[in-house]
Amino acid sequence: MPELPEVETIVRQLDRLLSGRILRGLQVRDPKLAHLEPLAGSLAGTRLGRIRRSGKRVILPLEDGEAVRGWLAVHLRMTGRLLLVEEGEPEPAPARLCLELDRGRLLFADTRRFGTVDWLTGPAELAPPGLDPFDPACTPAALAELARAARAPLKSWLLDQTRICGLGNIYVCEILHASRLSPWRAAGNLELAQWRLLHREMRRILRLAIKNCGTTFSDFQDSRGLEGSFGRMLQVYGRAGAACPRCGAIVQRETQAQRGSWWCPGCQE
DNA sequence: ACGCAGACCTGTACGC
DNA sequence: TGCGTACAGGTCTGCG
């Protein structure tokens, strides 16, 4: 479910509310997460450090005095949610994992159970798989260089997390529309000026989405169960048959690399 | 280097 | 109302 803006929304909220709190215990409630079972005893009493994002993962550092014991890396995939439950409140959804805190608890709920939680012990594992869109090293020239000679369609190219990380189907569709580029166009064929435009629109759209706490398409909610409002600003995603807000042509949907692609044939080429 | 199918899971929306 | 089907924001593996 969540892409960069949704993960960023969750991370900012969790960092504000949880950083510095003490972990009292960890309950593994889904056998698919049994690999975390051995941690349950040893992590009790550790303190949550500054919570951050790596690609689409939520990183929860667990500290012991000055030393970092390790990091819990949560990937929410399609339906994962991290829900903060106050002392005495009922749990709003069945949880796969429960972090008991000094007061209240943090639940990992995930209907489709695609999400993953890993225990990382080395900084190398923390690095995102590709270039983060807000990394200063992510420049139009760097993107052009990465895509040199790539024959893959832009849509698939941008979705590959080992190049740019954090984009998913919704934002790629929106970014391509804003950049007037067709999802079918080969990534290696762009002029530098088009990479500049794409780069600018990518950052603009992601910033705007973060400001609006992400997109709630079907089931994204933040850690207190609230919904993001960027969904109202979508120009093409999920809008097949509607008029393009920019040129009035009819938005098309077509399957591309097994995923839906929405775009406007009137103004994207 | 790429596209594609299938896998992992469950819920929802829609047509009949 | 009930049933079957298609589809879903992500990513991995294996095949051609």
Side-chain angles (χ1 to χ4, degrees):
Chain A
M1 156 213 88
E3 310 180 29
L4 187 153
E6 290 75 33
V7 178
E8 187 66 31
T9 299
I10 293 165
V11 159
R12 289 182 184 185
Q13 202 170 33
L14 291 182
D15 183 54
R16 187 162 46 81
L17 296 169
L18 294 188
S19 167
R21 301 271 296 271
I22 304 297
L23 186 69
R24 291 291 173 219
L26 177 148
Q27 294 168 11
V28 179
R29 300 184 187 168
D30 179 346
K32 282 183 78 179
L33 298 178
H35 59 286
L36 300 175
E37 207 84 65
L39 294 171
S42 69
L43 289 185
T46 55
R47 191 185 61 236
L48 280 162
R50 299 300 307 266
I51 293 156
R52 58 186 187 274
R53 178 179 67 77
S54 170
K56 291 178 188 170
R57 293 179 302 172
V58 177
I59 305 292
L60 304 154
L62 288 167
E63 302 170 350
D64 210 353
E66 293 300 298
V68 178
R69 190 79 77 79
W71 298 268
L72 280 173
V74 182
H75 197 308
L76 302 164
R77 297 285 180 103
M78 307 279 261
T79 53
R81 287 181 292 163
L82 286 168
L83 299 169
L84 199 50
V85 181
E86 295 301 331
E87 201 83 353
E89 273 183 352
E91 298 189 1
R96 302 180 62 197
L97 185 71
C98 170
L99 303 186
E100 297 168 285
L101 307 170
D102 37 12
R103 28 190 179 83
R105 58 225 129 119
L106 181 66
L107 302 181
F108 174 47
D110 178 21
T111 328
R112 284 173 79 179
R113 299 165 73 211
F114 286 174
T116 57
V117 182
D118 290 305
W119 175 243
L120 313 181
T121 51
E125 303 166 279
L126 282 173
L131 214 43
D132 192 90
F134 294 113
D135 186 327
C138 182
T139 61
L143 297 182
E145 175 56 24
L146 273 177
R148 200 163 48 88
R151 278 165 301 167
L154 261 180
K155 169 74 185 309
S156 324
W157 194 88
L158 290 169
L159 279 176
D160 185 333
Q161 304 294 300
T162 64
R163 294 162 185 145
I164 306 176
C165 60
L167 304 181
N169 211 18
I170 294 180
Y171 293 104
V172 167
C173 289
E174 293 299 308
I175 290 164
L176 288 174
H177 177 260
S179 312
R180 300 175 182 264
L181 291 163
S182 159
W184 300 94
R185 165 154 193 172
N189 278 352
L190 264 55
E191 309 281 339
L192 185 57
Q194 292 174 312
W195 282 113
R196 285 203 192 95
L197 178 62
L198 193 149
H199 179 266
R200 189 173 71 220
E201 291 303 319
M202 171 174 76
R203 287 192 173 176
R204 183 182 67 80
I205 286 173
L206 293 175
R207 280 206 182 93
L208 183 63
I210 291 168
K211 200 175 156 197
N212 285 274
C213 298
T215 305
T216 299
F217 198 71
S218 59
D219 52 7
F220 169 68
Q221 293 180 329
D222 69 9
S223 64
R224 295 295 294 159
L226 301 175
E227 303 189 336
S229 58
F230 187 74
R232 289 199 292 275
M233 302 186 186
L234 296 175
Q235 308 284 296
V236 287
Y237 182 86
R239 302 191 66 242
C244 166
R246 186 167 52 204
C247 76
I250 300 301
V251 174
Q252 306 289 309
R253 178 198 191 274
E254 212 162 326
T255 299
Q256 188 177 21
Q258 324 249 103
R259 324 271 311 265
S261 277
W262 285 263
W263 89 102
C264 170
C267 59
Q268 289 178 257
E269 46 185 332

